[in-house]
Amino acid sequence: MSVGPTGKGPRLWLQPERKNSNGSVEAARWVIRDGNIKRSTGCPPGDLAGAEAALAEYIAQKHDPRRNVGQPSHVLIVDVLNVYARDVAHLHARPRESAAMIARLASWWGNPLEASRKAIGPKPVLTGFVSDINAANCHAYVTFVGATRSASRDLEMLRAALRHAQEQRVLEGTVNVTLPPKSKPRERWLTRSEVAKLVWTAWRGGRAANGRSGEGDNWHMRRHLARFILLAVYTGSRRGDVLNASFVHSVDHGYIDLERGVWTRKASSKLATKKKQTTIPLPLGLLSHLRRWRRAGQTFAVEFNGRKVDNISKAFRALVAECGLDKGVIPHALRHTAVTWAMQNGIELWEAAGYFGMTVQTLMEVYGHHHPDHLKGAAAAMGKRKR
């Protein structure tokens, strides 16, 4: 915090004692100088702490984007992202990943001259205001990131932040975010033998399998991966829901009720999103496993050394490589596998949509061709002879 009459931006200045034109004397006091604005703090020279507090309050009020509804040309993109990060993003299933996406967006849209050095192609001229968001600059952002899927997810978050800003009366009007064309959905799903190989390799593997000790060590290091795979494949749940599943009631975690055989996947403290986290009954085979894990003293369904696991990406990649499977086998492929198996078994569409937490439209677009009734009526009609 700068103290003195010089410098740009809001600052404190000790105004000396002075005589007014009517002969009265105005005592020395700290005032806030900001361009042509001069505002008294009411603090005498000896109360620097009070003057600094008044300056901090002034800066906060000046830069709070919630004060008034702003036109796109007057609202900073970083302000929109900050409001979204403060209100919504920290409640996401993977808050660290959301924070990284927001930081990447802010570094480019809010600091264009710094980020554009890494960009491929012509450097866009940006002001940092919401009015910069157009099709050309969105395309430039995709080029800057270099990965279409990652850039698309970033821009989806930017769009969500803009909508939240409108709801919070930070931003006025509608701003369109142009997303790149959707990439083809992942079609990699696992066979039952592949899932069995992953589970047994993880369950039987000890320290020696991880290269951490010599032969004969029976301390199992990857059984948490086996539990993760079983819970994900049996229920088709997302990675975040599986890692957040607890046997103990908590507002911050999903709850597995072993008596009723029901899993409430959405934590009560989490805001509802388009990624539906429906409450589901648990299959009997999985319920037997869960009860055994609870009797063994686990608080969470997936634990490592008695602690909740927050990230399994690195360990899962190592397991996939050891099993000789391709790189397309990622944690999300387990959800894809569960839905595919359910469709192959002829599950009713409305039940499948409710159980897996997706719309019937998404279910049909991505997984419909696996259903035994898919286009059966058309095939029957084509096979009829004309009378």
Side-chain angles (χ1 to χ4, degrees), residues 172-288:
E172 189 177 71
T174 303
V175 180
N176 294 322
V177 177
T178 304
L179 302 179
K182 281 191 174 182
S183 56
K184 292 180 63 177
R186 294 188 180 100
E187 296 184 355
R188 180 66 165 101
W189 55 276
L190 301 171
T191 64
R192 296 184 185 277
S193 60
E194 287 175 329
V195 171
K197 187 173 185 180
L198 286 170
V199 170
W200 282 110
T201 302
W203 190 259
R204 293 171 176 171
R207 276 190 168 187
N210 288 268
R212 294 184 58 181
S213 71
E215 189 177 348
D217 193 331
N218 293 321
W219 184 28
H220 297 283
M221 297 292 294
R222 295 189 294 187
R223 287 192 168 179
H224 65 291
L225 287 179
R227 295 185 175 101
F228 172 83
I229 295 167
L230 287 172
L231 192 51
V233 169
Y234 264 111
T235 65
S237 299
R238 297 177 178 87
R239 171 173 53 179
D241 291 340
V242 175
L243 295 179
N244 207 38
S246 172
F247 298 119
V248 179
H249 254 306
S250 170
V251 296
D252 297 323
H253 306 295
Y255 174 56
I256 297 177
D257 188 338
L258 294 176
E259 291 187 6
R260 295 171 54 224
V262 172
W263 179 13
T264 304
R265 290 185 285 197
K266 178 182 171 298
S268 57
S269 62
K270 184 181 177 183
L271 296 176
T273 66
K274 65 179 182 180
K275 294 183 177 180
K276 301 175 183 177
Q277 297 168 283
T278 52
T279 298
I280 59 172
L282 292 164
L284 292 178
L286 175 63
L287 196 55
S288 299

Side-chain angles (χ1 to χ4, degrees), residues 379-387:
M382 293 301 293
K384 288 183 179 179
R385 292 185 179 182
K386 185 178 181 181
R387 291 182 180 179

Side-chain angles (χ1 to χ4, degrees), residues 56-122:
E57 183 179 359
Y58 171 82
I59 293 174
Q61 290 177 351
K62 178 181 178 182
H63 294 283
D64 184 2
R66 299 175 190 266
R67 288 182 306 149
N68 299 301
V69 176
Q71 294 291 332
S73 58
H74 292 81
V75 176
L76 289 170
I77 296 174
V78 289
D79 279 343
V80 169
L81 293 171
N82 283 335
V83 170
Y84 187 74
R86 185 165 60 237
D87 295 350
V88 180
H90 69 283
L91 299 174
H92 287 174
R94 286 176 276 180
R96 292 183 181 178
E97 185 175 324
S98 296
M101 293 165 66
I102 289 174
R104 188 162 56 237
L105 284 165
S107 70
W108 194 83
W109 291 98
N111 228 340
L113 295 179
E114 181 69 22
S116 62
R117 295 173 187 168
K118 303 177 184 178
I120 302 171

Side-chain angles (χ1 to χ4, degrees), residues 71-80 109-112 125-134 137 158 162 171 175:
Q71 294 291 332
S73 58
H74 292 81
V75 176
L76 289 170
I77 296 174
V78 289
D79 279 343
V80 169
W109 291 98
N111 228 340
V125 178
L126 303 177
T127 64
F129 290 98
V130 173
S131 55
D132 286 334
I133 300 174
N134 53 42
N137 288 337
L158 176 61
L162 290 168
L171 178 65
V175 180

Side-chain angles (χ1 to χ4, degrees), residues 22-64:
N22 59 5
S24 62
V25 177
E26 188 175 339
R29 66 185 62 191
W30 290 106
V31 299
I32 297 172
R33 297 292 297 271
D34 184 12
N36 295 327
I37 297 174
K38 186 172 74 170
R39 179 179 298 180
S40 174
T41 64
C43 299
D47 188 12
L48 178 59
E52 289 181 335
L55 175 61
E57 183 179 359
Y58 171 82
I59 293 174
Q61 290 177 351
K62 178 181 178 182
H63 294 283
D64 184 2

